[in-house]
Amino acid sequence: MALERTFSIIKPDATKRNLTGQIAAKFEEAGLRIVASKRIQLTLAQAQTFYGVHKDRPFFDELCEFMISEPIVVQVLEGENAIAKNREVMGATNPADAAEGTIRKEFALSIGENSVHGSDAPETAAEEIAFFFSGLELVG
Ligand code: DAT
Ligand code: MG
């Protein structure tokens, strides 16, 4: 399979606890290359747009408030099968269900404060990368 790119967020619970480097190391150990990275703080409107797919879910407001509560680190990860590989390294959404050695098992605090976001399909990866990065910022 050709190289693939996926979009990742190191979420507020993790940046607040100074876990950016430890989480980035997990990506690199899994063979994912960080080809773009920046620390930003989302506005409420940006968080609501990014998570628009969940707008009718009961946790939507809590999710958006959490995502703007501290800076985040947005990254583009590149590698063979990067989308699935990143989801594997992240672990299940609920840390109680996450496998040993995954980021969420090791670092997540709860189903909401679960340390990382990762794209779930090629279409969402392309959309999410384009939402946060210009072509000039992607250095393979
Ligand atoms: P994932 O982040 O694993 O792709 P998702 O897309 O279903 O999971 O949900 C997006 C985020 O919303 C998730 O990372 C945390 C939050 N979330 C999901 N289900 C939740 C719930 N039952 N209670 C609180 N927050 C939840
Ligand atoms: Mg998701």
Side-chain angles (χ1 to χ4, degrees):
M1 190 183 174
L3 284 182
E4 186 176 68
R5 284 177 175 175
T6 191
F7 174 73
S8 166
I9 301 179
I10 301 177
K11 293 186 180 182
D13 67 283
T15 60
K16 188 175 186 176
R17 288 176 290 150
N18 222 12
L19 295 171
T20 298
Q22 287 184 68
I23 290 174
K26 294 269 196 195
F27 298 143
E28 294 185 336
E29 283 160 17
L32 293 165
R33 182 179 301 278
I34 300 165
V35 299
S37 183
K38 59 188 173 187
R39 182 174 162 99
I40 61 172
Q41 187 147 13
L42 290 177
T43 64
L44 184 57
Q46 288 166 339
Q48 288 169 336
T49 301
F50 180 74
Y51 275 122
V53 68
H54 295 305
K55 69 179 183 326
D56 297 325
R57 309 284 286 277
F59 55 81
F60 181 67
D61 288 346
E62 183 191 333
L63 172 62
C64 292
E65 288 297 333
F66 166 62
M67 290 300 292
I68 69 169
S69 66
E70 294 279 336
I72 59 174
V73 175
V74 292
Q75 299 183 313
V76 178
L77 309 179
E78 183 181 86
E80 296 284 329
N81 216 8
I83 296 168
K85 190 175 283 181
N86 181 41
R87 296 291 308 193
E88 199 178 307
V89 175
M90 287 165 61
T93 306
N94 186 345
D97 301 328
E100 285 301 326
T102 62
I103 292 168
R104 283 167 164 170
K105 176 72 177 184
E106 201 161 318
F107 300 120
L109 300 175
S110 66
I111 190 170
E113 300 198 14
N114 61 3
S115 303
V116 279
H117 164 85
S119 308
D120 57 13
E123 299 72 32
T124 47
E127 276 174 30
E128 292 173 358
I129 290 169
F131 186 76
F132 286 101
F133 290 98
S134 74
L136 278 176
E137 293 175 294
L138 302 169
V139 184

